[in-house]
Amino acid sequence: MILVFGSINADVVVPVPHLPGAGETVLGGDYALLPGGKGANQALAARRAGAAVALAGAVGRDAFAATALGLLRQDGVDLSLLRAVGRPTGCAAIMVGSDGENLIALAPGANEAATAAQVADDGLGPAVTLVCQMEVPPAETVALIRRARTRGARTMLNLAPALPLDPAALADIDLIVANQVEAATLGENLALLGRRLRHGMIVTRGASGATAYLADGGRFDIPALPIEPVDTTGAGDTFVGVLAAGLDLGLDLAEAARRASAAAGLSCLGRGAQTAMPDRIAIEAALIRLPEARGIR
Ligand code: RIB
């Protein structure tokens, strides 16, 4: 099963003709209030891809919590490890341009109260894939990854948003997923970084696909689905969630990453992070249009 430890947000999404620069105001279309948060998004993506998923995190005791948790409940993500706290539910202000690209500012609120202690040791055995990001306190994330590693769970970290990571934590991580900007903040040659992790590192490159740098020195490229994006919000989260689901279901890394790439492409075809996420049937149908991953040694 998959355990996601991460953020849960309500997204206020405004479509705009172009993303504003500093000091600029642009007139947009009608806003939408949608469920989001990198942790919640990844949990839902994994669930829709066919995995059993639990989510640990924190929301407020407010109306935005119902928005943030709505699709997770509907799709059957286990929410029994959540905390409700006296802070506002996390809220992201998101602008989406006509080319599908976005700008996001996050008020973390309740996410700052998420703690590793919400997950008991017996929830971290070898049958578990732990999936983390950086929108809840990084010290809690690193502590949970450490405990999970000790108990034999598979550990994945999506380095989003890019925040400083304790280098000692690398030894406990099986797989890091990051986009090019996030990967650059690690300040290391990607191939060397992949070798320092237990399984490796995957760098996502949007329309150019992704590259896996493996712990054994191997490398492969994962193609992207050819699409006209409507909204790229949550595409990275879809990639991570579907990748985790594939590994959890027993696929090898190349095949799990190919499915993740197909799903990420599909998620860009509709508005919103969670609202546009594909299910397993849609992902399998899209794979026909996606070439195999190509390896380099
Ligand atoms: O990755 C997309 C997500 O980032 C949005 O849903 C928003 O909530 C922010 O966390």
Side-chain angles (χ1 to χ4, degrees), residues 12 27-28 35 43 47 82 151 168 199 206 216 240 276 278 280:
V12 181
L27 294 184
R47 178 71 189 139
L82 292 192
R151 281 153 189 83
H199 290 171
D216 67 2
V240 172
R280 189 174 184 165

Side-chain angles (χ1 to χ4, degrees), residues 7-11 35-39 41 91-92 94 102 104 106 135 233-237 273-274:
S7 58
I8 303 161
N9 300 332
D11 291 350
K38 296 185 195 303
N41 295 346
C91 180
I94 303 181
N102 62 48
I104 302 179
L106 173 64
E135 281 186 342
T233 311
D237 298 332
Q274 295 183 20

Side-chain angles (χ1 to χ4, degrees), residues 30 43 58 81 90 101 120-121 135 146 155 178 191 205 229 239 253 259:
D30 289 353
L81 296 175
E101 292 301 325
D121 282 350
E135 281 186 342
R146 176 93 273 265
T155 56
R205 306 182 198 281
F239 187 101
L253 185 61
R259 280 169 182 254

